Amino acid sequence: MKILIIEDEKGLRESIEAYFQEAGDICETADSYQAAMVKINLYSYDCILLDITLPGGSGIDILKTLKASNNKDGVLIISAKNSLDDRLQGLDLGADDYLVKPFHLSELKARVSAITRRKMYNGNNILQFNEISIDLSAKTVTVLDTPLKLTRKELALLIYFIANKGKVVSKNAIAEHLWGDGIDLADNFDFIYSHIKNIRKKLVEAGANDYIQAAYGMGYKFNDK
Amino acid sequence: MKLLDKYNRVNLIAAIIIMLITGGIYYLAISSILINEKDKSLEVEEQEIFDYVKLNHNLPQVFESPDQQISFKQVPKNSVTRKFINTTYYKNANEPESGRGLISFVDMGHTYYKILIVESKVETEDLIQIIFGITIGVILLLLLALVITNRLILNRLWQPFYNILDELKLFHISDTRNIPQLDNSIDEFNELHQEVSAMATRVKHEYQNLKNFTENASHELLTPIAIITSKLDTLIQSENLSEGQGKLLTDLYGAVNRLNRLNQSMLLLVKVENRLLKDENLIDLKALTEEMIFQFEEIFLSKNLHVSYNLDEKQVYANRHLMEILLSNLMSNAIRHNYNGGEIKINLNAESLIIENTGDELPLRDDQIFTRFHKSSYSEGSGLGLTISKQICENFNFSLLYSFQKPYHKFSIGY
């Protein structure tokens, strides 16, 4: 995948870049409105990560330019402006998704994967990972053609893991992804442990490899080997 | 009390008091003038008697007269003092009228007579009554005219004031709408209107500044948090981390998470307090509660909580996002302050939504729990959850009450 990261904050930009590059994606970056305008006019990307507050201009204007030139690139707004108006305006203008800072890199990766998947596989919405096949429209999973029954959250978690394959995903990131940031229970992650245990058991019983590993007690890693 | 009523009342009372006083004075003045007239006529009569006595050295013949009676009476010398009296005048023996009399005397050397001249006052009094009646009538008419014109003029005159008042009632700090220009020809109201408009603009400006500040502060704060989070996410990708380092990273995640939550909660509270989230819809509370229970399912399980619920159909008019936060806050509390193997009961009916949980043996201080940053010492929450919940309830005119019925802590939302 080819990704453009438009973000003025150096620390954040570099982290995002490194995370995506390690997963095998090609990343370009822009740290200002002008730099971003140059890049979007010259190249096309699978997904553009767009910050709203930029030196030299607003990300909203970049979005307007993209849509005015009928650009088909996916756009994910990443902004610290958590006002509902901004969010609605961004989505109304044709952004594919909106992610509020601060976010976990794994969450960003999962959102970007979802956007590019939607762009690339028109109609045929199957996510294939080795022996695991997920029909994203019908929300069904088969392992080596055997149907596997997963709950709503287990399915979401599996898709999340596949998007972040080879990466260590923290428990916080998993909790936020599955239970939303409305659930304020940072002091207790036991429920994640039992949740992961269940999904591992189901996958192994269906004949898949045991991909999920605990990592240093703070998260899990979905091995792609 | 309305200005008009107050004004009319003061006006009316003052007018009546003044009218009574002037009426009294008027009456006294008229009667004293007329009585004075009468007295002069009595004196003329007396003088005529004196003249007659002087000329003829005896008393004049007394004739019957319809409006005057004169009598003489021989009395001891110097026993009479001259004076005017109010007395009764007998036109006929059985028809007494009020009269005015003059007691005088005539000294004829060897004889001494007391003279009593009495005249009827009926005509004088009739006159007084007529004059007084007309005057009262005119005053009452004037008073009525005063009340009516006051009402009309004041209503007209104060109309700009009421217009400004209506504008103020419509004023909302987060609205973009400005107070419109109103036509009126009265300087005071023009000035009031200008000041009100200027104040509204100023308040909105200040409010906008504050909002911008909050937004900017959040942006400034969220960006470093975002960087810390992303760096932590990068750091855990490193190979060969030790268990100890893993523990440190877990604690760091926890702290950043709390920092983030606190920041989000403060922003949310500002938004809710300023009623910035206005998008209200009819919400199926039963479905929403079921959804929330489903969301919390694994968390209930991990703490071995026994959850029982009884949900009736209920729809409320509110903002969906805020209702989710409200339910989520209350359920999070019911879990956080519960013990392993405890109980949660959720009851939704036509009047209220009640969430009860087991937990601490002692009741909470219900005057403190809704205040900002009040929390139990072992709680890892932000201390804003219940404040936000209470404020959300206030926004939609719901009540949020706490009570303790051993062993249950009970929070009920009444709508």
Side-chain angles (χ1 to χ4, degrees):
Chain A
M1 277 194 298
K2 198 175 164 196
I3 289 162
L4 174 63
I5 305 161
I6 304 170
E7 165 64 60
D8 59 325
E9 206 60 52
K10 184 164 170 275
L12 193 55
R13 190 175 63 239
E14 287 176 354
S15 294
I16 296 171
E17 192 181 5
Y19 197 87
F20 278 87
Q21 273 174 348
E22 277 173 31
D25 297 318
I26 301 154
C27 292
E28 288 194 22
T29 59
D31 60 357
S32 69
Y33 177 80
Q34 288 77 10
M37 290 302 264
V38 170
K39 295 224 159 151
I40 61 164
N41 283 321
L42 284 177
Y43 312 106
S44 96
Y45 301 91
D46 294 308
C47 191
I48 298 170
L49 309 183
L50 180 61
D51 190 11
I52 297 292
T53 28
L54 290 170
S58 165
I60 292 287
D61 293 330
I62 296 178
L63 179 59
K64 282 180 184 162
T65 313
L66 278 170
K67 292 300 155 188
S69 59
N70 212 11
N71 192 309
K72 293 275 188 281
D73 300 353
V75 178
L76 171 63
I77 295 175
I78 45 173
S79 174
K81 283 200 172 179
N82 183 17
S83 104
L84 222 56
D85 289 347
D86 276 3
R87 187 186 202 116
L88 292 176
Q89 197 193 358
L91 295 178
D92 273 354
L93 287 171
D96 295 277
D97 207 348
Y98 189 108
L99 191 56
V100 176
K101 286 182 197 169
F103 48 79
H104 288 283
L105 294 177
S106 46
E107 181 69 34
L108 181 67
K109 184 81 171 72
R111 301 276 187 111
V112 170
S113 300
I115 290 172
T116 50
R117 217 163 40 223
R118 276 206 301 272
K119 299 261 166 202
M120 277 193 249
Y121 307 99
N122 267 335
N124 177 19
N125 215 352
I126 304 284
L127 174 62
Q128 188 74 39
F129 178 77
N130 295 350
E131 66 273 27
I132 303 167
S133 173
I134 304 171
D135 185 333
L136 295 163
S137 318
K139 306 215 179 300
T140 53
V141 185
T142 49
V143 176
L144 301 168
D145 297 327
T146 323
L148 173 61
K149 243 187 132 42
L150 294 179
T151 66
R152 214 164 77 185
K153 286 196 190 103
E154 285 166 348
L155 178 65
L157 186 60
L158 182 61
I159 297 168
Y160 192 68
F161 271 137
I162 291 173
N164 285 288
K165 55 182 179 272
K167 297 281 186 188
V168 178
V169 179
S170 70
K171 284 180 184 174
N172 291 68
I174 294 170
E176 269 185 40
H177 182 74
L178 292 188
W179 285 276
D181 52 4
I183 291 187
D184 183 7
L185 290 165
D187 43 340
N188 180 359
F189 283 128
D190 296 347
F191 55 95
I192 291 178
Y193 172 73
S194 44
H195 206 65
I196 302 269
K197 210 170 74 180
N198 280 342
I199 192 171
R200 272 172 92 172
K201 201 171 137 203
K202 282 189 183 177
L203 281 170
V204 171
E205 277 175 1
N209 284 325
D210 188 9
Y211 293 107
I212 304 168
Q213 283 183 347
Y216 321 112
M218 69 203 158
Y220 295 90
K221 185 172 180 177
F222 194 85
N223 272 314
D224 49 353
K225 293 164 198 98
Chain B
M1 190 189 286
K2 282 198 130 188
L3 180 78
L4 178 66
D5 295 337
K6 182 96 182 167
Y7 179 82
N8 262 346
R9 178 177 289 190
V10 170
N11 223 355
L12 222 61
I13 288 172
I16 287 170
I17 288 171
I18 290 170
M19 194 193 80
L20 284 174
I21 292 170
T22 51
I25 292 169
Y26 195 55
Y27 178 81
L28 287 176
I30 289 178
S31 34
S32 96
I33 288 167
L34 288 175
I35 288 198
N36 211 15
E37 284 296 310
K38 190 106 290 193
D39 289 355
K40 272 181 190 156
S41 119
L42 286 170
E43 274 173 344
V44 168
E45 203 59 41
E46 183 195 26
Q47 194 59 48
E48 276 177 13
I49 292 169
F50 286 162
D51 289 348
Y52 187 89
V53 168
K54 212 175 184 178
L55 202 69
N56 301 315
H57 296 288
N58 72 25
L59 294 173
Q61 187 89 35
V62 175
F63 298 99
E64 274 296 321
S65 157
D67 53 357
Q68 194 184 60
Q69 283 165 357
I70 302 170
S71 59
F72 301 100
K73 194 178 175 189
Q74 190 169 7
V75 289
K77 215 168 179 137
N78 297 332
S79 64
V80 177
T81 40
R82 187 175 180 274
K83 66 181 176 193
F84 291 98
I85 53 163
N86 287 320
T87 179
T88 319
Y89 177 88
Y90 290 95
K91 200 171 185 178
N92 302 310
N94 51 3
E95 219 181 297
E97 289 173 359
S98 73
R100 181 75 177 171
L102 170 62
I103 296 172
S104 188
F105 56 89
V106 57
D107 192 350
M108 300 201 306
H110 54 282
T111 43
Y112 188 85
Y113 288 96
K114 173 186 170 192
I115 310 169
L116 176 62
I117 312 164
V118 181
E119 287 191 357
S120 171
K121 255 184 4 184
V122 167
E123 280 167 20
T124 317
E125 281 188 346
D126 282 352
L127 195 62
I128 292 173
Q129 269 171 20
I130 289 166
I131 295 174
F132 195 66
I134 290 172
T135 314
I136 293 282
V138 168
I139 289 173
L140 284 178
L141 214 63
L142 272 174
L143 219 59
L144 190 68
L146 193 74
V147 169
I148 291 171
T149 49
N150 271 350
R151 187 166 285 273
L152 290 176
I153 290 175
L154 277 182
N155 272 342
R156 282 270 300 280
L157 223 53
W158 284 91
Q159 197 51 51
F161 174 79
Y162 290 115
N163 290 345
I164 294 171
L165 199 64
D166 286 342
E167 285 302 325
L168 280 177
K169 280 178 191 159
L170 289 174
F171 178 76
H172 195 275
I173 194 155
S174 58
D175 263 356
T176 47
R177 186 176 163 281
N178 277 320
I179 293 184
Q181 193 60 48
L182 302 169
D183 310 324
N184 55 70
S185 52
I186 298 162
D187 287 347
E188 282 84 350
F189 289 131
N190 267 334
E191 205 174 323
L192 178 67
H193 181 255
Q194 273 166 18
E195 285 307 312
V196 163
S197 301
M199 194 187 71
T201 315
R202 213 157 50 229
V203 163
K204 278 185 180 173
H205 182 72
E206 290 293 315
Y207 178 73
Q208 193 58 42
N209 275 350
L210 199 65
K211 199 176 149 193
N212 289 348
F213 172 79
T214 316
E215 251 182 35
N216 292 342
S218 89
H219 189 263
E220 295 306 317
L221 209 52
L222 285 175
T223 306
I225 297 174
I227 294 171
I228 297 172
T229 307
S230 72
K231 295 295 173 192
L232 280 174
D233 287 345
T234 311
L235 188 56
I236 59 169
Q237 309 305 328
S238 322
E239 305 285 330
N240 307 321
L241 285 174
S242 70
E243 276 297 317
Q245 286 166 324
K247 173 80 175 64
L248 286 176
L249 285 170
T250 307
D251 291 348
L252 273 175
Y253 265 120
V256 171
N257 199 26
R258 277 178 68 178
L259 183 62
N260 184 30
R261 250 167 230 297
L262 181 61
N263 194 34
Q264 303 278 15
S265 297
M266 290 198 299
L267 286 176
L268 180 65
L269 189 59
V270 170
K271 272 186 207 157
V272 177
E273 279 180 345
N274 291 326
R275 302 182 184 227
L276 294 177
L277 301 169
K278 283 193 211 139
D279 185 28
E280 290 183 20
N281 299 303
L282 204 57
I283 292 166
D284 183 348
L285 208 52
K286 186 187 178 193
L288 186 66
T289 312
E290 277 171 346
E291 174 68 22
M292 294 314 282
I293 293 171
F294 174 76
Q295 270 290 323
F296 278 92
E297 210 173 17
E298 293 82 5
I299 305 166
F300 293 141
L301 273 176
S302 74
K303 222 170 169 178
N304 296 315
L305 298 173
H306 180 256
V307 181
S308 57
Y309 53 90
N310 182 14
L311 309 175
D312 292 344
E313 290 292 339
K314 174 70 194 173
Q315 293 190 319
V316 292
Y317 207 71
N319 178 296
R320 188 178 174 87
H321 179 56
L322 291 182
M323 285 308 285
E324 279 173 9
I325 291 171
L326 175 62
L327 289 180
S328 167
N329 277 349
L330 293 179
M331 285 197 197
S332 295
N333 275 346
I335 296 166
R336 182 182 294 119
H337 301 290
N338 222 320
Y339 47 76
N340 207 344
E343 214 184 314
I344 293 178
K345 294 199 288 187
I346 301 166
N347 206 325
L348 172 69
N349 57 43
E351 289 87 39
S352 58
L353 172 62
I354 298 167
I355 298 176
E356 291 172 274
N357 65 280
T358 52
D360 212 340
E361 288 288 293
L362 293 169
L364 304 167
R365 294 275 305 272
D366 58 359
D367 54 335
Q368 287 180 353
I369 50 173
F370 295 113
T371 56
R372 291 172 177 212
F373 298 113
H374 172 83
K375 58 176 180 178
S376 52
S377 48
Y378 55 85
S379 168
E380 295 209 0
S382 64
L384 289 173
L386 279 177
T387 314
I388 291 172
S389 304
K390 181 92 181 169
Q391 188 61 50
I392 291 174
C393 285
E394 277 175 21
N395 281 17
F396 304 125
N397 293 323
F398 301 160
S399 63
L400 177 60
L401 298 172
Y402 167 78
S403 62
F404 182 68
Q405 287 159 347
K406 208 173 176 185
Y408 298 107
H409 296 270
K410 178 174 165 185
F411 284 90
S412 55
I413 304 167
Y415 24 77

